[in-house]
Amino acid sequence: MVGKKGSRSQARAEGLQKTDNNMDVTSWPVAGMINQKNYYTEYLKRDDQYLAYRTTQEENTNRMVKEARDRDRALAQSNGIPLADPSNAIDEDTHMEGMETAGSLQEPHGSKVIVIHPGSQNLRIALANAALPKTVPMVVARKWRHNESEENGGEPKPKRVKIDNEVSAKPEEWFGEDFATKYNTESSNLKIRMKNNKRKLMPNSKELVVNFNKRTQPDVISEHNDPQRIDWTEILPGKVPEYFTGHAALRIPDQSRPRYKLFWPLRNGLFNEHDYSQSNLLLNDFFLVIEEAIKSELGLKKKKEWQDYSCCFIIPDLYERKYVTSILDGLMRDFGFKRICFMQESMAASFGAGYSMACVVDIGAQKTSLCCVEDGMCIEDSRMNLKYGGADVTEAFIKMMLFDHFPYEEINLKRRYDLLLADELKHKFCTMNEVDVAVQLYDFHLRASGQDTRKYTFKTYDEPMLAPMGYFIPTLFDHSNKLFGRHKVIDRSYDLYDGSPNDPIPVAQAAVLQYSAQNAPSVANTAPDASPAVFAASTPSKPKPYSLLNRLPQDDTESTPLSSVAGSPVPEGTPQPGRDSPAPGMAEHTNGHISDPSAGRIRAAEERDSILPIMPLDTAIMLCIKEATRGDERKMKDFFGGIMLVGGGAKVAGFNTFLETRLRERMPNYNKEIMIGLPPRELDQQLVAWKGGSVFARLSSSGNDSWIYRREYDMLGAKLLAQKLMWAF
């Protein structure tokens, strides 16, 4: 009988006995337990652990090494001293920075930085060390079946109202009863105001103007006798370009062969989605104007040279995130700039004028932006963007002149030479001085390609003043087509985590939308349950909530909404919540039904997009300052004493005095403090923002950490904007 084996002998017999062969279980180091009562980590707690900060430090180090080598090379060439080690030169030769030999080899400061400020009508561009920028029309002319004045049956602009498919023979009926009523009402109000100000008035001024304009005839001047004839863009047969940009595009004859049509990539301060069917076509035209301006105006013909240049780009105060990210991507990938930084318009204007605290009112061609700036930073809740500008004044002025039998009845602002003529007439004759409101005799020359020059003589009365009054009575302007095509080819920006729109929504802009919805129903389509808004008054106080903001969660009242921690990221291409289908992880149960938490925010954004933001300029200034001060009496006085007008739309004679008087009438408690200022040193109002961008771009790298470099953009993309921009993005 075999004896029973023990467990140890059985394990040894079956090869299962555990033996110690002095070998570790694994070659990986074993981490000990953390003492949870006393532990510390420095992860992401120092600036040098961020890629954006390290890139700036590396650039500063490389710059110092380059400067040291240049100094050492200059000394060696001038005195015969052998080249020293660059590392020693950084410490030992710093006292020689002011030597002429070293400075002679260094390039002028700012000569490698391009400052770009695009607008709806003009582009300002130049190197940062230039005194003034180059001005280029923001337009592209492409080969097309018809030009812009021949489309839609060649209907003129300003649009003439047709009765039974025929335009009335009476100019008083061309623009409808609504315009005639508003025009006559404002004309009567101007007479009353002038009588109260003890101005002399002729009782039959209107009749004198109308009767003279009816019977005047133009004088024909042959082209060879016209010393100021225009050089039109020539299109040679066999060499027909696909496109023209800038001044050359505006000087193409309307009857050219082949036809060319004008495309404006920016309208009303935003991408012009109405005239484009695809986003890539829109962006191509936008960057094409900038590219041709760099080549022709700056002399940088080859793109290989651009990789050594930096770019400072000026964007609106109240921007759309897609606008900024699209520009950043295009400048980095297509243009290949070394580095890029962004600057807001009001901030740039304060830099250019040297104001540390101001309420900047920027009246452009098609938009008016307001923002209070304090210590070089825009106050986010005070940002406003109104959709009217100098181009609306031009159209209103021409309509009023035609109403009073303007002798050149065929004027059509869709024709290129008529558009330039109308802009010239506005700059010459429009005024806000009541002393100039009288029967005046003027003349102008009409120059068109292939036609003899015609000299017209005409009279005006109150039209030159009533047209700029549209800034304070926006309903005088035509707003009928300004909302066409919104987000047709470029969708709004959505938050990556909760799928809600995340474009900035300042409190002041929400108040503008509410005002427009209530006071301009013809151009705004808002919810029927809108409640009145409270605007700036003599006693500073926090405004009441507006109905549009009441529809949003509480955190949406901030200038830039924050991302929510709920849900998971939505990949690109996923249908956005509230438009196609709810995204995974974004739905919640309410009363037994599944609802999308971001759908309300999307509906609110769509409502905002359906309202055209317009408001009288004086009311907008008071509201802007009120939102910036938040009840601080001292700050309110400082901002009222530092209102600065910039932009080409404000270049109307007497505009500053008129605005100052109007504000004092509405704010009698601040009668002594209110003051409207202009940029100092006789700087052109249209160039102040660009000048501020050039000043900002020339700051040393150690004092300007908002530069985005190509290498870090390739790694992190547009996410860098959250760390690089000087404001909340």
Side-chain angles (χ1 to χ4, degrees):
M1 182 176 179
V2 180
K4 185 178 180 181
K5 294 183 178 180
S7 59
R8 185 174 298 179
S9 59
Q10 184 177 1
R12 183 168 53 252
E14 296 178 0
L16 299 177
Q17 183 179 8
K18 183 178 180 181
T19 58
D20 187 5
N21 52 9
N22 295 325
M23 294 182 65
D24 294 334
V25 178
T26 176
S27 60
W28 289 90
V30 180
M33 297 294 293
I34 296 177
N35 182 2
Q36 298 186 3
K37 295 183 179 179
N38 183 18
Y39 70 93
Y40 177 75
T41 178
E42 292 185 350
Y43 178 66
L44 295 183
K45 290 187 177 180
R46 298 197 312 267
D47 288 340
D48 57 1
Q49 293 176 335
Y50 289 90
L51 175 63
Y53 180 86
R54 291 201 307 270
T55 304
T56 304
Q57 292 298 101
E58 292 173 3
E59 290 292 332
N60 291 337
T61 303
N62 295 337
R63 178 179 53 82
M64 294 175 62
V65 171
K66 182 179 181 299
E67 291 176 355
R69 287 175 177 170
D70 292 341
R71 288 195 301 268
D72 197 28
R73 186 177 295 107
L75 292 175
Q77 293 176 355
S78 59
N79 301 326
I81 302 176
L83 293 175
D85 181 46
S87 59
N88 296 332
I90 296 177
D91 298 328
E92 298 175 3
D93 294 339
T94 53
H95 64 283
M96 308 183 73
E97 291 180 356
M99 295 185 60
E100 295 182 0
T101 55
S104 61
L105 294 180
Q106 294 180 357
E107 59 191 16
H109 187 49
S111 62
K112 291 290 186 179
V113 182
I114 301 174
V115 182
I116 303 175
H117 180 203
S120 300
Q121 184 167 325
N122 291 313
L123 168 71
R124 321 285 181 186
I125 185 171
L127 297 175
N129 64 338
L132 296 174
K134 305 290 185 180
T135 299
V136 180
M138 195 72 187
V139 62
V140 179
R142 291 191 176 275
K143 287 198 300 184
W144 212 255
R145 296 183 299 275
H146 308 285
N147 60 38
E148 58 276 7
S149 64
E150 295 173 339
E151 290 188 332
N152 299 324
E155 185 177 357
K157 184 183 179 184
K159 182 180 180 181
R160 274 75 155 172
V161 176
K162 294 182 180 181
I163 301 176
D164 296 331
N165 295 327
E166 292 185 1
V167 178
S168 173
K170 299 179 180 179
E172 298 88 349
E173 301 176 355
W174 282 356
F175 310 112
E177 296 181 1
D178 187 33
F179 176 80
T181 302
K182 292 177 182 177
Y183 178 39
N184 293 328
T185 301
E186 295 306 321
S187 181
S188 301
N189 293 339
L190 179 60
K191 287 182 181 180
I192 296 173
R193 186 164 60 249
M194 293 180 65
K195 286 182 180 179
N196 295 335
N197 295 335
K198 309 301 181 185
R199 304 285 184 190
K200 292 184 178 180
L201 299 176
M202 295 181 62
N204 58 342
S205 299
K206 275 288 186 184
E207 290 77 6
L208 290 175
V209 170
V210 171
N211 293 333
F212 179 86
N213 291 340
K214 279 182 179 180
R215 64 175 183 267
T216 184
Q217 296 294 328
D219 297 332
V220 180
I221 303 174
S222 58
E223 187 176 0
H224 63 275
N225 289 331
D226 185 5
Q228 297 180 351
R229 59 181 179 270
I230 297 174
D231 294 330
W232 301 94
T233 302
E234 294 185 6
I235 303 176
L236 301 176
K239 296 182 180 179
V240 180
E242 288 292 330
Y243 61 86
F244 290 92
T245 62
H247 295 286
L250 293 178
R251 291 303 183 186
I252 299 176
D254 283 15
Q255 304 302 320
S256 63
R257 295 185 180 275
R259 293 286 196 269
Y260 283 83
K261 181 183 176 182
L262 298 184
F263 290 90
W264 302 83
L266 294 180
R267 301 302 279 176
N268 303 115
L270 301 170
F271 281 134
N272 181 16
E273 302 178 58
H274 176 252
D275 294 339
Y276 291 87
S277 58
Q278 297 179 11
S279 60
N280 59 338
L281 300 178
L282 170 57
L283 295 175
N284 285 344
D285 279 1
F286 177 79
F287 289 115
L288 181 61
V289 179
I290 299 176
E291 178 181 344
E292 294 297 325
I294 293 176
K295 292 179 179 178
S296 60
E297 302 294 339
L298 306 186
L300 302 176
K301 303 293 185 180
K302 300 179 180 179
K303 277 193 173 183
K304 292 182 179 180
E305 305 174 7
W306 300 1
Q307 60 186 0
D308 297 328
Y309 284 78
S310 305
C311 176
C312 177
F313 202 95
I314 301 175
I315 62 174
D317 306 323
L318 190 55
Y319 52 85
E320 290 186 347
R321 293 170 65 97
K322 283 286 185 71
Y323 177 82
V324 181
T325 55
S326 300
I327 290 174
L328 176 61
D329 186 75
L331 296 180
M332 277 291 184
R333 304 203 182 280
D334 298 337
F335 287 37
F337 286 131
K338 177 182 177 182
R339 56 180 184 171
I340 297 170
C341 73
F342 290 98
M343 194 177 189
Q344 291 172 297
E345 286 177 338
S346 293
M347 187 192 308
S350 65
F351 268 69
Y355 287 14
S356 61
M357 189 173 185
C359 176
V360 181
V361 182
D362 187 353
I363 305 178
Q366 298 176 5
K367 73 172 180 63
T368 298
S369 60
L370 299 90
C371 181
C372 289
V373 180
E374 184 178 13
D375 296 332
M377 293 295 293
C378 294
I379 301 178
E380 295 180 349
D381 275 344
S382 68
R383 294 176 295 175
M384 305 170 67
N385 193 309
L386 311 177
K387 300 305 180 185
Y388 57 74
D392 296 283
V393 175
T394 302
E395 183 176 348
F397 180 57
I398 297 300
K399 290 172 70 174
M400 293 177 182
M401 293 298 300
L402 290 172
F403 190 90
D404 293 336
H405 295 260
F406 187 56
Y408 179 36
E409 296 181 352
E410 300 82 12
I411 188 170
N412 184 357
L413 299 187
K414 289 186 176 181
R415 284 199 294 257
R416 296 151 200 170
Y417 59 86
D418 282 347
L419 177 63
L420 297 175
L421 172 64
D423 201 50
E424 179 184 355
L425 295 178
K426 180 193 69 173
H427 287 299
K428 283 185 177 180
F429 306 134
C430 282
T431 179
M432 297 293 286
N433 295 320
E434 291 184 358
V435 69
D436 296 331
V437 179
V439 178
Q440 303 280 356
L441 179 64
Y442 298 116
D443 61 69
F444 67 91
H445 292 78
L446 175 64
R447 298 177 175 90
S449 177
Q451 303 178 21
D452 291 333
T453 302
R454 285 171 284 173
K455 180 182 178 181
Y456 285 89
T457 304
F458 66 101
K459 285 187 177 181
T460 65
Y461 176 53
D462 55 2
E463 304 91 339
M465 184 169 183
L466 290 180
M469 280 291 294
Y471 290 136
F472 307 94
I473 312 170
T475 52
L476 284 176
F477 296 149
D478 180 16
H479 308 284
S480 57
N481 59 352
K482 293 183 179 180
L483 286 178
F484 287 175
R486 282 292 281 129
H487 296 304
K488 185 180 73 172
V489 296
I490 300 178
D491 200 3
R492 63 177 64 88
S493 175
Y494 292 91
D495 190 90
L496 182 63
Y497 293 97
D498 63 6
S500 60
N502 59 356
D503 284 327
I505 314 170
V507 177
Q509 185 70 8
V512 172
L513 296 175
Q514 186 64 38
Y515 177 93
S516 180
Q518 295 178 348
N519 296 275
S522 60
V523 297
N525 181 17
T526 186
D529 57 345
S531 59
V534 177
F535 301 103
S538 57
T539 304
S541 61
K542 181 66 181 174
K544 297 179 182 179
Y546 312 104
S547 63
L548 285 176
L549 292 180
N550 290 339
R551 296 173 175 269
L552 303 176
Q554 188 64 27
D555 59 351
D556 272 19
T557 59
E558 300 179 2
S559 60
T560 304
L562 302 176
S563 300
S564 172
V565 297
S568 57
V570 181
E572 292 188 9
T574 303
Q576 292 294 343
R579 294 183 299 163
D580 299 312
S581 60
M586 301 300 297
E588 60 182 7
H589 291 271
T590 305
N591 297 328
H593 301 283
I594 298 178
S595 62
D596 186 358
S598 63
R601 300 183 181 182
I602 295 175
R603 284 194 299 270
E606 292 174 351
E607 290 180 4
R608 290 193 298 269
D609 290 342
S610 66
I611 302 174
L612 184 70
I614 58 173
M615 176 184 281
L617 186 59
D618 51 348
T619 305
I621 293 175
M622 294 187 292
L623 176 61
C624 176
I625 294 177
K626 182 182 180 183
E627 292 301 334
T629 55
R630 295 293 183 90
D632 191 330
E633 189 76 14
R634 181 185 59 82
K635 279 188 177 182
M636 184 170 287
K637 292 181 179 180
D638 292 340
F639 280 125
F640 273 119
I643 301 175
M644 181 174 61
L645 284 177
V646 298
K651 296 180 68 175
V652 179
F655 186 78
N656 290 24
T657 305
F658 184 88
L659 177 59
E660 189 173 300
T661 303
R662 195 173 179 95
L663 286 174
R664 287 175 177 174
E665 292 175 354
R666 301 204 48 191
M667 304 288 288
N669 293 353
Y670 298 92
N671 193 17
K672 297 181 180 179
E673 288 81 8
I674 293 176
M675 184 177 298
I676 309 296
L678 290 174
R681 300 182 296 276
E682 298 182 356
L683 187 62
D684 191 345
Q685 293 174 255
Q686 303 177 82
L687 312 179
V688 178
W690 181 92
K691 194 65 177 180
S694 68
V695 173
F696 180 76
R698 283 181 288 174
L699 295 176
S700 62
S701 300
S702 58
N704 183 359
D705 56 355
S706 61
W707 290 104
I708 300 174
Y709 292 86
R710 190 187 315 164
R711 181 172 63 90
E712 59 187 10
Y713 179 77
D714 292 337
M715 297 177 61
L716 300 178
K719 293 185 292 185
L720 279 169
L721 292 170
Q723 294 180 346
K724 289 290 189 174
L725 296 183
M726 294 176 289
W727 63 92
F729 183 76

